Structures are given as structure tokens and as C-alpha cells.
Amino acid sequence: MPPRRRALLLLAGMALLAAGAGAWRLLQRGGQVPAGGEPPGRAAAPEGGAADEAASFGGRATVAERVAQCGKAARGRQAAAFRAAGVSYPPARFLLAGFKAERALHLFAADPGRPLAFVKAYPILAASGTLGPKLREGDRQVPEGFYRIESLNPNSLFHLSLRLDYPNAADRARGRADGRTSLGGDIMIHGGNASIGCIAVGDVAIEDLFVLAADAGWDKARVVLSPVDFRARTMPSDFSPPTPWTAALHADLREAVSGLPRARR
């Protein structure tokens, strides 16, 4: 091979490797990779339109375009659960409660003027870290507290994602009091089955939640991230609070979670 051609091929290969490594580093920080593509080891979404299969996406799209692609199947999957809960679809408001110890994400919803009803539980397939709040960038902790859905990402590296508003005003206030400045961010609920600092619920589940957020309005949603399901258990006896304010945060979460309806049996 001529030396010039060999050099050009080598440069092209180095560029591809650098691009892939950069995307993977961004994902490890909990970020969004704007272009399509998959992390190492992740299989592509299955083809076909079966109700229990995730849609197969190709190329970039808007939120409305993603909803058009997977909305019919997602609404069909949600219909029975909403009927059983006695809540109209789309609901007037909804709440997602994530429980670290139980590795579960519970969906609650309500009609106008009605209390929240339990709708469905989704298994959390991956979430790094331990019990306790997120304190700084790179600690791989899932936050604990009360959050809103800030935006929907139709071009997530992990199929689809809901971006949370961590760090919110309460997180920033605690950070200032502690003298912490690098709090991290880019916390998502997303598809796939791997995550660092975020919550992975699988591609089918994230389609359901993405379409629900688009249909109901993500500004009407609240997200509670709790170390345990305080309706069923207390904090482990060997848990050591990492900050002086952790106990007060957990008391607030205990009060909020204890008031949520339990799953139907």
C-alpha cells in the first residue's frame, strides 16, 4: 500500500476511535449524545411493531416524531393499567416515585380534582451508587429528593429519556451550605439496561413514560427519588448519613412516600 494511502487510513481510524470514546465518556457522565448510535455491548432495538417490543429508531427526530413512531403501542400498553386504576388517559397529572433499595419506579396518576392512584410499577434495570443523596459530580449517585421533568430527549443514546431538574434549588442551597460547588447534573430516566448515575428502565418502559409525558405534559409531572419505599420499610440500621441534613431530607421523603397509595394486589 502506498505510504500516503496508509497514512490517510490511519488518520481516519484514529478519528473514529476518538469520536466513539468521546461519546462513551459523555454517557458515563450521565449526558446525552446528540447523534444516534449505541454504547458498547448494547443490542439494537428489535424490529417489528409488537405491543411488547420497543420501536426501532433510525436517525434524529423531534419529540412529536418519536411519539408518532411509538405512541400507538405505548398507549395500548398503558390502557389496561389506567382503566384498572380508574384514571383517564392522559391524566391531569402524574407522579413517578423511584425506590433505590427496591429497584422499582412506580407510576401514579390522577384525574382533575382527584387524588393520585397507583397505576403501574416498572423495574429499575440499572442504577449505580448506594443509598444516600447525590453530593458531587462523578460520585455515581442517583439523587434523592423532589424533582420535575425538565425536558424529553428523543435522541438519547439509551433509546429515549426524561431529563430531571437536578440540581434544583434545594440541591444548590444544600451545596452552598456545605461548600460544595461541583454538584453534577444530566440526570435522566432512560431506556436500556445500564446506567451510571441515572435510572435505566428498559426501552419498552421508557417509551411508555416518554409518550405519557408528551401526552399529559411533562410540566404536570413530579418525580420523587427515595432511598427506600417508606411505606414498607425503614432505612437500614447500618446506614450512615453522609451529611447533617440527610436525616431531614429522608424525613421529608418518608412523609411524602407514606402518603402514596399502595400497589394493587
Side-chain angles (χ1 to χ4, degrees):
M1 181 183 297
R4 178 178 173 79
R5 178 173 174 79
R6 185 182 301 112
L8 289 173
L9 288 174
L10 178 60
L11 287 172
M14 291 172 64
L16 287 171
L17 286 172
W24 184 238
R25 283 194 299 272
L26 182 60
L27 174 66
Q28 288 179 313
R29 295 197 299 270
Q32 302 175 33
V33 178
E38 304 297 338
R42 178 169 184 253
E47 297 289 343
D52 59 348
E53 291 184 351
S56 180
F57 297 153
R60 294 179 61 79
T62 65
V63 169
E65 288 167 341
R66 287 290 187 244
V67 171
Q69 288 174 307
C70 61
K72 182 177 180 180
R75 296 182 190 107
R77 288 189 294 262
Q78 294 277 38
F82 272 84
R83 281 196 302 269
V87 180
S88 303
Y89 186 94
R93 59 190 176 100
F94 69 96
L95 181 145
L96 295 172
F99 305 115
K100 289 183 177 180
E102 290 77 10
R103 296 179 72 84
L105 184 69
H106 288 195
L107 168 62
F108 304 85
D111 285 323
R114 302 291 298 169
L116 289 167
F118 172 82
V119 177
K120 194 171 184 178
Y122 297 94
I124 293 176
L125 303 185
S128 62
T130 61
L131 303 187
K134 182 173 182 63
L135 299 178
R136 60 186 58 85
E137 184 176 6
D139 63 5
R140 300 192 174 195
Q141 283 290 97
V142 174
E144 293 176 0
F146 302 89
Y147 298 99
R148 295 173 181 263
I149 297 174
E150 193 172 67
S151 62
L152 307 186
N153 182 6
N155 300 298
S156 172
L157 186 62
F158 275 173
H159 203 57
L160 299 168
S161 65
L162 315 178
R163 181 190 180 97
L164 305 185
D165 67 339
Y166 174 89
N168 60 20
D171 297 311
R172 292 192 295 271
R174 296 189 193 104
R176 285 193 297 271
D178 295 346
R180 291 178 289 113
T181 57
S182 183
L183 305 183
D186 291 333
I187 303 299
M188 319 283 174
I189 300 172
H190 60 67
N193 58 6
S195 187
I196 298 176
C198 298
I199 296 174
V201 295
D203 290 354
V204 171
I206 197 59
E207 286 183 10
D208 292 357
L209 297 175
F210 187 95
V211 172
L212 168 64
D215 287 347
W218 58 87
D219 58 314
K220 301 174 183 176
R222 299 295 180 269
V223 180
V224 177
L225 299 180
S226 179
V228 302
D229 185 346
F230 286 109
R231 297 170 298 177
R233 68 168 80 182
T234 59
M235 291 295 292
S237 58
D238 60 351
F239 175 75
S240 178
T243 70
W245 48 261
T246 299
L249 172 63
H250 287 175
D252 290 342
L253 287 167
R254 183 182 304 110
E255 181 179 4
V257 169
S258 297
L260 293 174
R262 292 180 178 269
R264 298 181 301 276
R265 296 187 180 276

